[in-house]
Amino acid sequence: MKSFSRQLARLSSDHQRIAKGAARVALFLLLGKFAGAFKEMAVAWRYGVSDVVDAYQFTFTLASWLPVTLVGVLSVVLIPVLVRSRKDDAHQRYRFLAELQAWGIAAGVVLAVAIYIAWPWVLHVAGQGLDAQTQAFSQQLTWAFAPAALLTLLSGISAARLRAHERHLNTLLDSVPAVVILIWVLLATTIDPVGPLLWGTLVGYFVQSVVLLWLAGRADGTIARPRLGMSSAHWPELVKAAGVMLIGQVAMSFVGPLDQYTAATLGDNTNSTLGYATRLLALLLGVGAASVGRAALPVLADIHSRGDAAYGRIVALKWSFFMGMAGAVVTIVGWWLAPYGVGLLFERGAFTAADTVRVAEVVRWGLLQLPFYFGVLILVQLLASQNRYRLMAAIAVANFAVKALMNTLLAPHFGAQGIMLATTFMYASSFLCYAVAAWRPMPSAGRI
């Protein structure tokens, strides 16, 4: 422990900021993922691989894809703007945050209404491989996931405000919906099979959004009352960047629905099998790479604002190489441990030993994406800190094209394993593109 402390002390201050922030994020992610794992254990115990889990996984993925996409755009383009806004006077900062909050509420309300109205059409088009009972469960779950769209947007804005101040408690609060679902699933006595998942989701997202709003107000010292308008000087830059990034983010956001649609066409409860495997992989993806990625963006944005673009590139490339090697090690170890991990987390109640074998095999193929995912995430933050959003959007569109092609070629032959292998091809192409872009010095006209 003392040796690690001495090594950390020898790092430059910016490396230390990333390392310390990543350590905090990793801790919070680990706690949050444990909460999510306990929730999955409870769901597996109560529902197993069943129509209810198929409906929940399908509804969660498709109903949340657009709100999560918008939050993903905000997390990339908003944090650099918020970092720069710290130099504004109190009145300018208040005006920008008040207008930002108002537009978040307006967009969230529109999304919530649109999700509920459009869901029968979504089921008809994307859920045609689901049986009638699963479709009925999915329609019922929209009573939770439609309002959750609004709450997700508000939570995303609050989380960006926290991260701009290099405070990462929002990462821990990402687990609040999982904790509430866990409690509801364990304690509910209702005969309605969907009820615990529905109410746990709705209450969990509400609690998360309220707590994050309070923490964001404390972090930047501003409790902004929502006010529609775009009078702040930050809006032209933010809207331009968000418009470009939204193209790429929308393309990448279709990956989840694409996987669910592909799994639905395969039948045989492939949706729930893929869902269990994906959530187990999320533990490794989140703790391993997202921790560094989330910690790096505000630091790299600060370095870039100081005019040290070349130095920021060196910092990011070093972290990318280190994370790629770490991902390779985790892949090797995880391949061997996959059956034990799945059995430990899920094998109880309605989740049988046969289900463990099935899910573990999918997890193993999903592990192949880790070295590329670990390595690329820090490079994404580098290009975002440099405002190279047009290039990022182009790479994202190309990545989705690779994913769609590989799903079409591999899923019919390998099932859920083929879907995971297609994801590996996608992240490999992403890493190659970002590595080339990051290695080359940024052109002076390369922003936005």
Side-chain angles (χ1 to χ4, degrees):
M1 191 67 175
K2 291 182 179 179
S3 175
F4 175 77
S5 300
R6 286 195 297 268
Q7 291 175 1
L8 187 61
R10 287 197 294 267
L11 292 172
S12 72
S13 60
D14 292 313
H15 279 294
Q16 287 187 46
R17 289 165 64 190
I18 295 176
K20 291 177 180 178
R24 287 192 294 270
V25 174
L27 175 61
F28 293 150
L29 275 170
L30 191 60
L31 294 173
K33 295 301 182 181
F34 274 126
F38 285 126
K39 185 263 287 187
E40 295 303 328
M41 291 166 65
V43 171
W45 164 75
R46 181 157 187 161
Y47 298 107
V49 177
S50 64
D51 292 342
V52 175
V53 180
D54 274 356
Y56 179 79
Q57 182 65 25
F58 177 87
T59 311
F60 171 80
T61 302
L62 269 70
S64 63
W65 78 265
L66 187 53
V68 169
T69 298
L70 294 176
V71 169
V73 171
L74 285 175
S75 68
V76 173
V77 304
L78 182 57
I79 291 174
V81 174
L82 290 171
V83 169
R84 291 189 289 273
S85 74
R86 292 185 305 196
K87 301 176 183 177
D88 297 343
D89 61 47
H91 175 71
Q92 291 175 320
R93 189 166 59 250
Y94 176 89
R95 181 172 58 185
F96 175 62
L97 292 176
E99 292 173 350
L100 181 66
Q101 201 72 20
W103 283 111
I105 293 172
V109 170
V110 171
L111 271 178
V113 174
I115 287 171
Y116 187 77
I117 293 176
W119 204 250
W121 177 82
V122 172
L123 287 171
H124 177 71
V125 175
Q128 55 185 306
L130 304 175
D131 59 42
Q133 186 178 39
T134 304
Q135 290 193 11
F137 287 151
S138 178
Q139 183 66 58
Q140 194 175 346
L141 283 167
T142 57
W143 285 104
F145 283 106
L150 165 63
L151 300 172
T152 298
L153 282 183
L154 297 181
S155 295
I157 292 173
S158 299
R161 292 168 63 184
L162 284 169
R163 289 177 58 195
H165 291 273
E166 298 182 39
R167 301 184 185 181
H168 303 286
L169 191 58
N170 64 286
T171 303
L172 179 61
L173 294 174
D174 286 345
S175 64
V176 169
V179 171
V180 178
I181 292 172
L182 167 66
I183 295 171
W184 227 287
V185 168
L186 291 177
L187 300 183
T189 57
T190 176
I191 60 174
D192 179 8
V194 176
L197 296 174
L198 189 156
W199 287 105
T201 298
L202 183 59
V203 175
Y205 276 98
F206 176 77
V207 173
Q208 178 193 31
S209 66
V210 171
V211 175
L212 276 174
L213 180 61
W214 176 70
L215 289 173
R218 290 188 61 187
D220 53 30
T222 305
I223 306 298
R225 298 178 61 182
R227 183 180 66 180
L228 277 175
M230 300 184 73
S231 59
S232 171
H234 293 294
W235 280 111
E237 173 193 8
L238 181 60
V239 170
K240 184 178 180 180
V244 174
M245 269 300 295
L246 188 61
I247 298 172
Q249 199 71 18
V250 166
M252 286 299 294
S253 73
F254 276 109
V255 168
L258 174 66
D259 283 351
Q260 288 302 304
Y261 172 76
T262 305
T265 61
L266 297 175
D268 195 26
N269 294 126
T270 304
N271 282 88
S272 51
T273 301
L274 185 67
Y276 283 121
T278 300
R279 289 191 285 275
L280 182 56
L281 287 168
L283 175 63
L284 302 174
L285 294 173
V287 175
S291 56
V292 177
R294 293 188 184 190
L297 180 54
V299 177
L300 293 173
D302 185 47
I303 293 172
H304 189 70
S305 69
R306 301 196 308 250
D308 295 334
Y311 169 65
R313 183 166 61 91
I314 294 172
V315 170
L317 287 170
K318 287 181 177 179
W319 277 96
S320 177
F321 175 78
F322 169 74
M323 293 304 299
M325 293 299 99
V329 173
V330 174
T331 298
I332 295 170
V333 176
W335 188 279
W336 177 63
L337 291 178
Y340 304 101
V342 174
L344 178 64
L345 288 175
F346 301 133
E347 193 176 317
R348 58 188 52 81
F351 196 101
T352 66
D355 295 327
T356 294
V357 173
R358 183 177 178 182
V359 173
E361 195 63 24
V362 178
V363 170
R364 281 176 163 171
W365 286 94
L367 287 169
L368 298 176
Q369 68 187 273
L370 262 61
F372 307 108
Y373 182 87
F374 277 33
V376 78
L377 204 57
I378 190 72
L379 300 180
V380 172
Q381 311 308 316
L382 172 64
L383 267 65
S385 71
Q386 297 173 340
N387 295 348
R388 298 170 74 178
Y389 301 120
R390 188 171 297 144
L391 177 58
M392 294 173 68
I395 294 174
V397 172
N399 289 340
F400 177 74
V402 171
K403 172 65 173 173
L405 176 62
M406 291 297 104
N407 262 28
T408 302
L409 295 177
L410 299 174
H413 299 287
F414 300 102
Q417 292 93 319
I419 295 174
M420 286 296 189
L421 187 57
T423 302
T424 299
F425 277 102
M426 179 186 72
Y427 282 123
S429 68
S430 178
F431 178 78
L432 178 62
C433 292
Y434 273 102
V436 171
W439 192 262
R440 299 174 60 187
M442 184 185 69
S444 58
R447 300 181 184 180
I448 302 183

